[in-house]
Amino acid sequence: MTFEDLLEQQAKEIARQQGLRERIYCCTAAGCVSSGADAIKKAIDEEIKARGVGAEVECCGTGCMGLCSKGPLVRTQSDGTIYAAVTPEDAGALVAGQGANLLADRKLDPQADFFIKQEKIVLANSGTVDPERLSDYIAAGGYQALARAVMELTPQQVIEEVKRSGLRGRGGAGYSTGLKWELVAKQPVDTKYVVCNADEGDPGAFMDRSILEGDPHRVLEGMAIAGYAVGAQQGYIYVRGEYGLAIQRLQAAIKQAERERLLGSRIFEDNFQFRIDLRIGAGAFVCGEETALIASIEGKRGQPRQRPPYPPESGLWGKPTLLNNVETFGNIAPIVAKGGDWFATIGTPTSKGTKVFALAGKIENTGLIEVPMGTSLRTIVFEIGGGIPEGRAFKAAQTGGPSGGCIPPQFLDIPVDYESLHKIGSIMGSGGLIVMDDTSCMVDVARFFMDFCMDESCGKCIPCRAGTVQMHDILQRITKGEANENDVALLEQLAKLLRETSLCGLGQTAPNPVMSTLNYFSGEYEAHIRDHRCPAGHCVLPAAASSNREVQA
Amino acid sequence: MAERIIINPVTRIEGHAKISIYLDDSGRVDSAQFHVVEFRGFEKFCQGRPFHEMPGLMSRICGICPVSHILASAKAGDHLLGVQVPPAAEKQRRLVNYAQLLQSHALSFFHLSAPDLLLGFDSPVEKRNVFGLAEKHPETARRGIRLRQFGQRIVELLGGKKIHPAWATPGGVLSAVSTDTRDEILACVPEAIDTLQKALSTMKSIMDTFHDEIEHIGNFPSLFLGTVSREGELEYYNGLIRIVDGEGNIVADGLDPLRYHTFLGEASEEWSFMKFPYYKPLGYPGGMYRVGPLARLNVARWAGTSLADRELREFKQRIRESVCQSFHYHMARLIEMLHAVERIEEIASDAELLDTHVCARAGQNRNEGIGSCEAPRGTLFHHYTVDDHGLIQKANLLIATAQNNLAINKAVEQTARRFVAGNTMTEGMLNRVEAAIRCYDPCLSCSTHAIGQMPLVVELKSSTGDVLSRIERG
Amino acid sequence: MSVRTLEIDGKAVTGVAGQSIFSVAWDNGIHIPRLCHVGGVSDVGACRLCMVEVEGQRKLVAACMTPVEEGMVIRTNTEQLLAHRRLIVELLFAERNHICAVCVVNGACELQDLAASLGIDHVRLRYRFPTLSVDTSHERFGLDHNRCVLCSRCIRVCDEVEGAHTWDFSGRGVNSLLISDLGEAWGESESCTSCGKCVQVCPTGALFAKGKMVSEMRKDRRFLKYIVTAREKHEWVR
Amino acid sequence: MKTIILAIGNSLRRDDGAAHRVLELLESQSGVFTRSLLQLAPEQSEEIAPARIVVFVDADIEPGPPRIERLPRGDPPPRSPLAHSLRPAEVVALARSLFHFTGQAYVCRVPGADFSEGEGLSGTASRNAIRAAELLRDLLYTPESR
């Protein structure tokens, strides 16, 4: 395919879509599927067939539309309305174009905070393109950034563009993406690799999954641009095995792109060639750590190794390897298409662009959102998120999953960016955001995350393998009222040990939930230990008196 | 209304036991029980361990007679391998076993029993102990200590460490004996013999004054079990089991210790965690038997060494019609010690002891191994069942103190009958009950594996459980 | 070979480019504690005992995995490092059932030596008392999981020196377990050549020669150097 | 003019081995001889005879701070008749009457908390061992003034 072919296809598809009376977008992302979206899609398709309106009405499945808690969601192209809690019985009304009248009670207000306070770059296509059709993606301008890069820019220029954008790694650590690309590009080695980390493992996080399910070509395009920029001809997507739909759509997307010569050899008739293969993870959280992920792709036990050398110098099979996460690659095409300077206007001085968050926990609008960096936590939780259900009080927001921390109410107004979150003891992480109300016990939250880390520790280094177990034991005893002040001191020492001596990020950050709760909610720890009381009323503790057992001589 | 007296002795690492003496409504002794109230943990502890580790593990059972456990354990290992240990190794094992006997008996005789014997059961309690003995018979007390040291020194020389010698292993022992060691051992022999001969002569001279105790402390018919050589001599390391009755008649002879479970049964009672072994053909509790010094002298025809044989002949003449009197355990210990020193000299003089081939090599050839030897307090059996890879599936230890368990109960009961009257306790009565137990020199650490420091408690209880009086000792 | 000059614990020392901090320190009589490192096979930096401070670096570094650089200023025994090391060793003692008194290498155990040299007199953590088995199916050797510290020395020596790769880990985290082949009993392993190298490099009594008793076993720590020297330099010297 | 310190206890019974830890904590010093034992036996009376000061260090099942007590002269109190080990007072009494011991005898108690099967001291015993070692230093390494 040439660039001209691409533009022609785009024009053709746009014209086709405009010729339709209605295009019904039915969310078929995991959240809506779990509340019955498949049946709705089927009902609409059958309705179209029954009415014989196939030429004027089309129904397509899409990626996540964001407001998962209100699903299944359906959007009508003609007026852009999103309908919530749709049932198969509504198919007739939708196909007949009567949604505005008959489903008025379920129409979502497009002027609601949830919609207007978001800014979508990565998720721009999510909910508006059919992820299983390449032409949909092309109609939305897809692969034009790759074409521009390959045909108009030198690899160094692409890297400059990315550097100028100020994009930082969305996997959590926030390392400058442009610098990383440059590092790989600089290596005087013929064989290099591009790897996409799609081993999303944080509890409650589904950002990468939604991107892969909703807009797989966006990721492929970003990887191909990266391959061009750093001089790699092979890419791997390491996707966790639990993401069946994402794997299926990625496989289909790769096949489509190869058929159209958007991947493979002589891309855009240039000498650039780039292949992408999938590698399916077996469900180990630690394989989200880059060196463990690389070991796993190599067919070895998924264990991290000491860095340096970092993957840009010596990664997959010892070759320079560019490793970015899904959301990072999802930002690349817009940056190359619209320019790094455009991207840099969004966000804060140090954290550019937008960030996708998965809202979960005690929050009205659970779902997927994308906001400019620097949006305050208050805006995210109370405006976009709709606040806490049942009028309960906000207690904390947990970001960064098992590596992150709990943010108390006094920091609700801080801007959400890499530096600010780090300053208050949490991290940006990959985008999981769990909201807790006053019924959540913070000690138990810390215990939950430590339990997760203990289960997911690979076992290679002692501090993480044995330390998480001991920390979990102490936390568990606190929730049961069996611990004393010495245990807390020991907990802190263990936390320090893990942070400073663990081999990889899993162990180094495992104490974060504990430390941040100890910092901001020390009263809850004290109540458990001293008064055998759980302020949130969550833990079941024995009465204080019964612990004074007689010691038999 | 029945009453109960409870004696509750526990010391450093030895077990926790108590004695209940039940009085009937008229205040006379009805029955007596010697309880061991700690749970056995060691046999469980061994499960899953390689059998080669067992001698080392077993040496940890008991601080009193670790050597005996090491030997029985190593022999069970020999059995699992299916090998004969090299002659030098067997000589070392025998030598150390005699040394162990010597140090253990010396402690029992000179420090635990001699005060009763030399000062009299009715001498004041604050003087009737090893310090009173030291005051009145300092030379005896000193010699007792030196005799014990001799035994300890041999264990240390061969075993490396005094407390937990782990020198014996399945197939033999770990290292050869040097000439220096041999010479050091031999140099100590004359004094040891002199000490023992003096003690024997003292003992013989005062024997008649204990007529009452001999008659009433643990004097009852029972079987006696011990190891003898094929020739019927005293044997401590490798022989056949012989059982005689209370009149000295042979009940069973030439029994293979490896088949101990065919003739010994193990009963249990809910009031004690210690087993109650019995001779199977006579059932339980009729098959009650005694082991240890007196049993060994009862089953053996000769000692096999000249000085001990002379004493043994005299002893047998003296006790001709009273083989059943527990009190004679004391005398038996002296004769055994004399025999042990003679044997030590004999083995140490044998050039073969110095041979450097001390361990047989072989892989595991059986799944069941049994080792037995004579420990100071009686016959000891270790019985291991292992899987094909040598991991212990089951370990059964049949320990001397447990085998005397029935007899100790009986002795306590009998002694109480004679010396306990009324529902208050007198010192004299308590002394005799203690003395009855002391004849057997029970060591509870390997029977029970308990720890603690608890006073000796003597309680007198009514049938309704009321404590009528209570005595505590250190 | 270019030379690097640096400072370790206040002492000016030199090493060659590519040499690890650990090795340079060792050459200069500064013995940094370690458990997973063993000369002659690759390093994995798993035990984290050799963590040291490098001036100007925010994070501690594993001395065995970090090459020396010109002008480095390294401290190997600060209070904080010692505290970390103590806690790591305590973690090991609490993790499995280490009872020195009945162990074949009692008195010659690297874990025991570490505890002694770090002045560990008690373990503040709760013992886990896991139920672990002993594998004595091999004709000559045994594996006692109770004493295994998962250092992977055996795995590396078997893979890199003997070339058999009999050993590896199964499970993860605290459930990691050393396995031979695909989890068969050691005696059933088809890849094991019975060379015994793993037994000699094992720092504890986890891998042992059968038939040994408490305190009886002493491991040959020099054989590996002998083999590696022979291989690399064709010099057969002990 | 020598000092003998005897540490008593079974280190396979956790805190029962606390005394051995105390010995490890004491620096070696000329004229001070130390020895670790599982239990006391009569022969220790001969060993301690030449000493001017003898200290028995032992674990204590009674809680409280570690302390050093001077053993009173005179005969020890009556004791359990079946025990195979001696108590410090008994060793000292034997040493006095049999081997002309004329020195001072002390008992250093190191309270423990956990006497179960296994190795390693509890935090209580460990702290008490450190304190006990300090007490012993004060007693032994400064001129006798108490």
Side-chain angles (χ1 to χ4, degrees), chain A residues 213-251:
Chain A
E213 287 177 1
D215 199 8
H217 285 288
R218 173 67 78 81
V219 180
L220 302 184
E221 186 179 1
M223 287 178 72
I225 293 170
Y228 175 75
V230 303
Q233 299 179 345
Q234 173 70 50
Y236 290 98
I237 303 177
Y238 188 87
V239 55
R240 57 184 292 179
E242 291 91 331
Y243 286 178
L245 185 59
I247 292 167
Q248 191 189 313
R249 289 193 173 155
L250 277 170
Q251 279 167 339

Side-chain angles (χ1 to χ4, degrees), chain A residues 283-285 301 303 305-308 454-463 465-467 469-470 473-474 477 482 490 493-494 496-498 500-504 508, chain C residues 35 44-49 51 59-62 65-66 80 83-85 87-88 91-92 94-95 124-128 149-151 168-174 176:
Chain A
F285 178 67
R301 184 178 161 85
Q303 280 191 333
R305 61 155 176 80
Q306 172 84 25
R307 298 177 310 181
M454 173 178 85
D455 268 359
E456 295 295 343
S457 168
C458 78
K460 182 173 179 177
C461 78
I462 303 165
R465 181 184 75 223
V469 175
Q470 291 290 346
D473 179 68
I474 294 172
R477 280 189 281 134
E482 293 167 0
L490 202 52
Q493 283 181 47
L494 284 163
K496 193 166 159 54
L497 176 79
L498 263 68
E500 294 182 7
T501 68
S502 292
L503 176 58
C504 82
Q508 287 163 11
Chain C
L35 206 50
V44 288
C47 72
R48 317 310 280 172
L49 283 164
M51 301 297 279
K59 288 183 167 183
L60 304 178
V61 301
M65 299 289 291
T66 309
Q80 190 52 61
H84 281 336
R85 286 175 195 151
L87 196 47
I88 288 173
L91 282 169
L92 285 178
E95 186 176 34
R124 292 165 289 176
L125 309 159
R126 282 229 297 206
Y127 286 86
R128 295 182 55 254
V149 293
L150 303 169
C151 67
D168 215 318
F169 289 131
S170 72
R172 70 178 181 219
V174 78
S176 301

Side-chain angles (χ1 to χ4, degrees), chain C residues 14-180:
Chain C
T14 55
V16 295
Q19 204 179 357
S20 71
I21 294 175
F22 183 90
S23 153
V24 172
W26 190 268
D27 290 348
N28 285 279
I30 298 165
H31 293 185
I32 304 171
R34 84 282 185 261
L35 206 50
C36 67
H37 167 87
V38 65
V41 296
S42 66
D43 278 313
V44 288
C47 72
R48 317 310 280 172
L49 283 164
C50 72
M51 301 297 279
V52 295
E53 286 177 13
V54 178
E55 220 169 79
Q57 290 203 22
R58 197 165 48 89
K59 288 183 167 183
L60 304 178
V61 301
C64 68
M65 299 289 291
T66 309
V68 288
E69 282 166 32
E70 185 64 31
M72 267 183 166
V73 178
I74 296 160
R75 276 176 295 271
T76 74
N77 56 5
T78 64
E79 252 328 296
Q80 190 52 61
L81 290 173
L82 291 176
H84 281 336
R85 286 175 195 151
R86 262 182 233 121
L87 196 47
I88 288 173
V89 174
E90 283 183 57
L91 282 169
L92 285 178
F93 274 104
E95 186 176 34
R96 295 198 171 181
N97 310 311
H98 298 274
I99 298 180
C100 306
V102 297
C103 178
V104 284
V105 297
N106 187 12
C109 167
E110 293 186 34
L111 180 63
Q112 201 178 31
D113 293 347
L114 269 173
S117 66
L118 291 168
I120 294 169
D121 49 31
H122 72 291
V123 173
R124 292 165 289 176
L125 309 159
R126 282 229 297 206
Y127 286 86
R128 295 182 55 254
F129 300 118
T131 309
L132 296 170
S133 61
V134 182
D135 181 350
T136 46
S137 58
H138 192 280
E139 199 184 338
R140 287 163 52 208
F141 310 118
L143 161 62
D144 187 346
H145 291 292
N146 294 288
R147 301 168 184 155
C148 176
V149 293
L150 303 169
C151 67
S152 82
R153 283 187 188 181
C154 52
I155 297 178
R156 286 172 281 147
V157 79
C158 182
D159 179 44
E160 299 169 17
V161 181
E162 178 62 12
H165 201 129
T166 299
W167 295 116
D168 215 318
F169 289 131
S170 72
R172 70 178 181 219
V174 78
N175 298 316
S176 301
L177 211 58
L178 185 67
I179 53 164
S180 38

Side-chain angles (χ1 to χ4, degrees), chain B residues 2 77 80 143 159 173 194 197 209 213 224 248 250 253 256-257 269 278 281 303 310 394 419 435 439 450-451 464 469:
Chain B
L80 287 167
R143 284 191 160 239
V173 298
D194 185 51
Q197 285 182 320
T209 63
E213 285 79 10
F224 292 90
I250 291 178
D253 200 6
D256 185 352
E269 294 280 0
Y278 60 97
R310 197 175 309 150
K394 189 166 175 275
F419 294 101
C439 290
I451 190 175
T464 52
S469 68

Side-chain angles (χ1 to χ4, degrees), chain D residues 4-131:
Chain D
I4 295 180
I5 308 175
L6 297 175
I8 311 150
N10 183 353
S11 54
L12 256 193
R13 290 288 194 174
R14 297 204 187 278
D15 290 355
D16 196 50
H20 305 307
R21 174 72 194 137
V22 175
L23 278 202
E24 287 167 21
L25 289 169
L26 289 173
E27 305 77 14
S28 65
Q29 175 145 337
S30 69
V32 178
F33 297 84
T34 60
R35 189 168 153 99
S36 280
L37 298 161
L38 189 68
Q39 60 197 26
L40 292 172
E43 58 266 31
Q44 266 77 56
S45 60
E46 190 179 4
E47 281 172 33
I48 65 163
R52 193 173 66 90
I53 296 177
V54 58
V55 187
F56 300 89
V57 189
D58 199 353
D60 192 347
I61 58 171
E62 293 293 325
R67 56 193 192 276
I68 296 180
E69 295 160 359
R70 183 174 264 181
L71 272 179
R73 284 180 172 274
D75 287 346
R79 57 194 293 268
S80 168
L82 302 175
H84 289 101
S85 58
L86 300 188
R87 293 173 305 182
E90 295 163 337
V91 171
V92 170
L94 274 184
R96 288 213 165 96
S97 60
L98 296 179
F99 301 106
H100 316 294
F101 171 66
T102 57
Q104 284 296 341
Y106 297 88
V107 170
C108 174
R109 296 171 181 273
V110 191
D114 177 5
F115 292 85
S116 59
E117 277 176 354
E119 284 188 311
L121 301 183
S122 69
T124 308
S126 176
R127 279 189 296 277
N128 285 341
I130 292 167
R131 181 75 192 114

Side-chain angles (χ1 to χ4, degrees), chain A residues 443-465:
Chain A
V443 183
D444 194 59
V445 167
R447 186 205 58 77
F448 168 81
F449 282 111
M450 193 50 71
D451 188 35
F452 181 86
C453 291
M454 173 178 85
D455 268 359
E456 295 295 343
S457 168
C458 78
K460 182 173 179 177
C461 78
I462 303 165
C464 175
R465 181 184 75 223

Side-chain angles (χ1 to χ4, degrees), chain B residues 45 48-50 52-53 55-57 60 161 166-170 174 387-391, chain C residues 99 101-102 104 134-138 144 146-147 185 188 208 210-216:
Chain B
F45 189 54
R49 303 305 312 173
H52 272 99
E53 286 182 11
L57 271 171
R60 288 282 178 156
K161 284 184 285 178
W167 101 106
T169 182
L174 292 183
D387 68 10
D388 291 344
H389 305 311
L391 300 179
Chain C
I99 298 180
V102 297
V104 284
V134 182
D135 181 350
T136 46
S137 58
H138 192 280
D144 187 346
N146 294 288
R147 301 168 184 155
E188 311 291 313
F208 56 94
K210 271 166 98 170
K212 298 288 182 185
M213 289 202 328
V214 174
S215 308
E216 198 200 334

